[in-house]
Amino acid sequence: MWNLARAAWSLRQVRRLSMSISGPCIVHKRGTDILHDPWFNKDTGFPLTERDRLGLRGLLPPRVISFEQQYERFMNSYRSLEHNTKGEREGVVSLAKWRILNRLHDRNVTLYYRVLIDNIKDFAPIVYTPTVGLVCQNYGGLYRRPRGMYFSAKDKGEMMSMIYNWPSHQVDMIVMTDGSRILGLGDLGVQGIGIPIGKLDIYVAAAGINPQRVLPVMLDVGTNNQKLLEDNLYLGLRQRRLDGDEYLSIIDEFMEAAFSRWPKAVIQFEDFQMKWAFETLQRYRHRFCMFNDDIQGTAGVALAGLLGAVRAQGRSLKDFTKQKIVVVGAGSAGIGVLNMAKRAVSRMCGSDENLEGNQFWLLDKDGLITKDRKELDPAAAPFARGYGPEEVEGLNEGASLLEVVKKVKPHVLLGLSGVGGIFNEEVLRAMQDSDSSRPAIFAMSNPTMNAECTPKDAFKYAGENIIFSSGSPFENVDLGDGRVGYVNQANNMYLFPGIGLGALLSGARHISDGMLQAAAECLASYMTDEEIQKGILFPSISSIRHITMQVGAAVVHAAVAEDLAEGHGDVDLKELSNMSKDETMEYVSRNMWYPIYSPLVHEK
Ligand SMILES: NC(=O)C1=CN([C@@H]2O[C@H](COP(=O)(O)OP(=O)(O)OC[C@H]3O[C@@H](n4cnc5c(N)ncnc54)[C@H](O)[C@@H]3O)[C@@H](O)[C@H]2O)C=CC1
Ligand SMILES: CC(=O)C(=O)O
Ligand SMILES: [Mg+2]
């Protein structure tokens, strides 16, 4: 029933948008300038009137090919590529797929986004995790032409004028990285630009942000990756990373420049190393409309998954306060998740009781974090064990993951460590003694090789009744006799597009915890009990536009309720405030861009 409703929504969307975006639009370019401009290019799809009036006659083969035929032609070449590369190494195949998509992106933006939207389940693993990680690692060799903007430490004092070099008058969404922690692959310096590009592709596909209004940004402040520093062909600054005030002054300058040109834009910080991730979030979150996806987007998705795991046990949501949760990885993502989970517990308890973090165990590379930890990170301190009266497990500072799992018998084991295979056979077997009837194992690190375990191993060693999530996509596991071990993709892609879209369409001054909470709750309540019982916590990626529309509307609502909204375009605060829930959803979906060829000349 749900799926039918979602499919019907998608169809209505397409029909409505096809009608609404058909107004005439004028292009001032002519001839080959149009063919070489990916925004306007229609390849062989230019109708005869446009060929005549835009100086295209003779520059194209005579037959006019429809959009649908062009689409089919691209998909045929994609399928041939899949067929012809059968048996080759996975990395080689994924990079070949990335190249064919990237070439289309370079040439014809409309067709590119249509094939991406329609095939998002197949193409997200190419433009996003895991292939985007490989693309970043091989960026020097793959680089053909720039995409997005690069601001480097050498541009200090110039950014306010540089920002005007970007050709679009309007920018709605900026995703920015300094390349210091790209997925679980470490410091990739300027090569990390692939991540903002991939995230913004998801913004266009899921949130319907107009691709002419997105801006991927690389802030190149150097790299501490020795291999890159020694590589003659490395495309970034060959210097060690700036630190301290020098570093912050670069970020400050960029933020001022970006918001002075586009005061209504939303900026997403992505893949910053932990110390700067938290510090920049605190520094800017009350001044600008920005958020940190790794800290805040991930937290919302994980919380939705954790609440789903409680429902899957047939318990009431309030029982979340009693779940024992072991988090492996005390970085920006792991601590972000714990902070949000802790806030959820305090809301459910209706008071500040149970705020000692007693249901949480946090480990980093040095094992269990306790109050005896030397140089305890202030961000991890609220979750360090040893403060409460119930410390009976006899777990010491630095206890190993296996020890912790054996003694705690957690309901949830959640990995955000970036360490592939750390949930090994012994650890997974120990989860069989979990106090939960359906233990949850979330191996959320990216890309695939960095996942804490594979779903196959998880179902094999921890038991077939587990609930499983990974950060990168994996196939479901065949448990025999027609039974399926469901694999959920607990990835922030389910939330960041809706957070950005909701912030944009509400005209939020900044992005509050309440707006993020609304996003997480919307995702958490999206699934039916039947789906949850099967172990399915998140919708299929194919429904990402629909879930993003709902998340976006929930964020708009929260921004209005918190008095943070200022309105967007012609829709002012008063109008936003008067919208019902359904009207807000209609407003959000009306503002989602959908790729169709627009006329380039006025009809006579
Ligand atoms: N699924 C998703 O949506 C998301 C996944 N991630 C993934 O999470 C991972 C971590 O990201 P961040 O927290 O930003 O990185 P980070 O570098 O800030 O933190 C990594 C943490 O893992 C710990 N760690 C390293 N080795 C360990 C070991 N052997 N045992 C236990 N802990 C260990 C480190 O001490 C550190 O606390 C990355 O692989 C990233 O791709 C991040 C954000 C979203
Ligand atoms: C998904 C994501 O944001 C990460 O792995 O960093
Ligand atoms: Mg990230």
Side-chain angles (χ1 to χ4, degrees), residues 388-436:
E390 81 312 346
E391 298 292 332
V392 288
E393 315 100 4
L395 286 166
N396 294 324
E397 162 59 34
S400 72
L401 173 58
L402 182 61
E403 246 183 296
V404 173
V405 171
K406 279 187 167 167
K407 294 216 164 118
V408 173
K409 304 183 193 308
H411 297 80
V412 178
L413 176 60
L414 187 153
L416 280 162
S417 64
V419 184
I422 196 174
F423 297 172
N424 57 27
E425 182 177 338
E426 269 187 301
V427 169
L428 291 171
R429 282 192 191 282
M431 280 301 285
Q432 288 190 11
D433 293 329
S434 154
D435 282 337
S436 166

Side-chain angles (χ1 to χ4, degrees), residues 413-583:
L413 176 60
L414 187 153
L416 280 162
S417 64
V419 184
I422 196 174
F423 297 172
N424 57 27
E425 182 177 338
E426 269 187 301
V427 169
L428 291 171
R429 282 192 191 282
M431 280 301 285
Q432 288 190 11
D433 293 329
S434 154
D435 282 337
S436 166
S437 56
R438 295 197 76 180
I441 297 179
F442 287 9
M444 288 178 67
S445 289
N446 298 313
T448 314
M449 288 297 288
N450 298 65
E452 283 75 9
C453 65
T454 63
K456 213 165 159 197
D457 281 354
F459 283 101
K460 182 168 167 195
Y461 299 126
E464 294 181 353
N465 59 332
I466 61 162
I467 306 279
F468 182 84
S469 298
S470 54
S472 293
F474 282 90
E475 294 290 329
N476 288 335
V477 177
D478 180 356
L479 301 177
D481 302 327
R483 289 164 315 125
V484 178
Y486 283 99
V487 175
N488 298 284
Q489 193 180 349
N491 190 294
N492 50 31
M493 73 191 290
Y494 279 112
L495 283 191
F496 71 75
I499 295 170
L501 182 64
L504 178 77
L505 295 183
S506 58
R509 281 190 295 283
H510 59 256
I511 298 176
S512 66
D513 285 342
M515 289 160 70
L516 298 164
Q517 180 194 322
E521 282 172 1
C522 175
L523 179 60
S525 61
Y526 193 77
M527 305 306 286
T528 62
D529 283 338
E530 203 185 352
E531 288 166 320
I532 294 276
Q533 279 315 314
K534 285 189 190 159
I536 306 174
L537 304 179
F538 301 110
S540 160
I541 299 288
S542 314
S543 324
I544 198 151
R545 266 209 165 211
H546 189 258
I547 178 65
T548 300
M549 180 271 291
Q550 297 214 350
V551 170
V555 171
V556 169
H557 242 273
V560 172
E562 289 191 39
D563 226 0
L564 289 170
E566 291 183 340
H568 171 82
D570 311 338
V571 177
D572 61 14
L573 174 59
K574 191 159 170 246
E575 205 175 328
L576 278 180
S577 314
N578 288 335
M579 283 180 191
S580 66
K581 208 171 157 201
D582 283 349
E583 284 166 344

Side-chain angles (χ1 to χ4, degrees), residues 237-251:
L237 285 189
R238 288 174 77 195
Q239 65 173 51
R240 295 192 73 76
R241 280 186 179 278
L242 296 184
D243 206 357
D245 288 345
E246 266 189 310
Y247 173 86
L248 282 175
S249 69
I250 297 288
I251 317 281

Side-chain angles (χ1 to χ4, degrees), residues 171-472:
V171 164
D172 291 338
M173 215 40 243
I174 296 174
V175 178
M176 172 175 82
T177 188
D178 69 355
S180 54
R181 191 287 279 149
I182 293 301
L183 306 177
L185 304 169
D187 181 348
L188 293 184
V190 78
Q191 307 194 162
I193 182 76
I195 293 292
I197 294 169
K199 292 272 176 186
L200 284 163
D201 267 354
I202 300 295
Y203 262 108
V204 177
I209 303 286
N210 185 327
Q212 274 191 286
R213 295 177 171 206
V214 304
L215 174 57
V217 169
M218 159 53 61
L219 283 182
D220 183 0
V221 295
T223 176
N224 294 342
N225 181 327
Q226 199 54 35
K227 220 171 132 205
L228 294 180
L229 286 172
E230 287 167 10
D231 179 354
N232 269 331
L233 296 178
Y234 175 59
L235 294 170
L237 285 189
R238 288 174 77 195
Q239 65 173 51
R240 295 192 73 76
R241 280 186 179 278
L242 296 184
D243 206 357
D245 288 345
E246 266 189 310
Y247 173 86
L248 282 175
S249 69
I250 297 288
I251 317 281
D252 281 350
E253 188 178 333
F254 171 77
M255 294 296 276
E256 293 294 343
F259 281 106
S260 83
R261 181 164 182 202
W262 302 296
K264 291 288 183 184
V266 180
I267 298 195
Q268 171 168 326
F269 278 52
E270 192 67 48
D271 288 10
F272 281 68
Q273 59 180 309
M274 166 153 162
K275 73 170 183 179
W276 292 124
F278 280 107
E279 178 142 358
T280 48
L281 181 60
Q282 287 321 318
R283 191 175 180 88
Y284 303 122
R285 73 174 299 196
H286 299 295
R287 274 170 64 198
F288 300 115
C289 189
M290 59 78 66
F291 70 106
N292 182 298
D293 179 40
D294 299 293
I295 299 175
Q296 298 168 302
T298 313
V301 169
L303 179 62
L306 294 173
L307 295 174
V310 177
R311 280 169 75 193
Q313 294 165 49
R315 304 171 73 149
S316 98
L317 277 186
K318 237 192 144 195
D319 281 355
F320 179 60
T321 59
K322 301 188 190 107
Q323 300 277 295
K324 291 182 284 181
I325 299 171
V326 170
V327 173
V328 185
S332 41
I335 290 182
V337 169
L338 282 174
N339 282 331
M340 192 160 197
K342 196 172 134 186
R343 280 196 298 273
V345 168
S346 97
R347 273 196 311 279
M348 287 176 183
C349 291
S351 73
D352 273 3
E353 69 183 69
N354 197 6
L355 285 187
E356 301 281 318
N358 287 339
Q359 64 184 113
F360 305 120
W361 284 258
L362 177 61
L363 291 89
D364 69 358
K365 62 180 180 353
D366 299 319
L368 181 68
I369 298 179
T370 70
K371 67 177 170 40
D372 295 330
R373 172 69 59 105
K374 291 201 177 67
E375 291 171 32
L376 180 58
D377 190 314
F383 306 101
R385 301 299 300 185
Y387 290 105
E390 81 312 346
E391 298 292 332
V392 288
E393 315 100 4
L395 286 166
N396 294 324
E397 162 59 34
S400 72
L401 173 58
L402 182 61
E403 246 183 296
V404 173
V405 171
K406 279 187 167 167
K407 294 216 164 118
V408 173
K409 304 183 193 308
H411 297 80
V412 178
L413 176 60
L414 187 153
L416 280 162
S417 64
V419 184
I422 196 174
F423 297 172
N424 57 27
E425 182 177 338
E426 269 187 301
V427 169
L428 291 171
R429 282 192 191 282
M431 280 301 285
Q432 288 190 11
D433 293 329
S434 154
D435 282 337
S436 166
S437 56
R438 295 197 76 180
I441 297 179
F442 287 9
M444 288 178 67
S445 289
N446 298 313
T448 314
M449 288 297 288
N450 298 65
E452 283 75 9
C453 65
T454 63
K456 213 165 159 197
D457 281 354
F459 283 101
K460 182 168 167 195
Y461 299 126
E464 294 181 353
N465 59 332
I466 61 162
I467 306 279
F468 182 84
S469 298
S470 54
S472 293

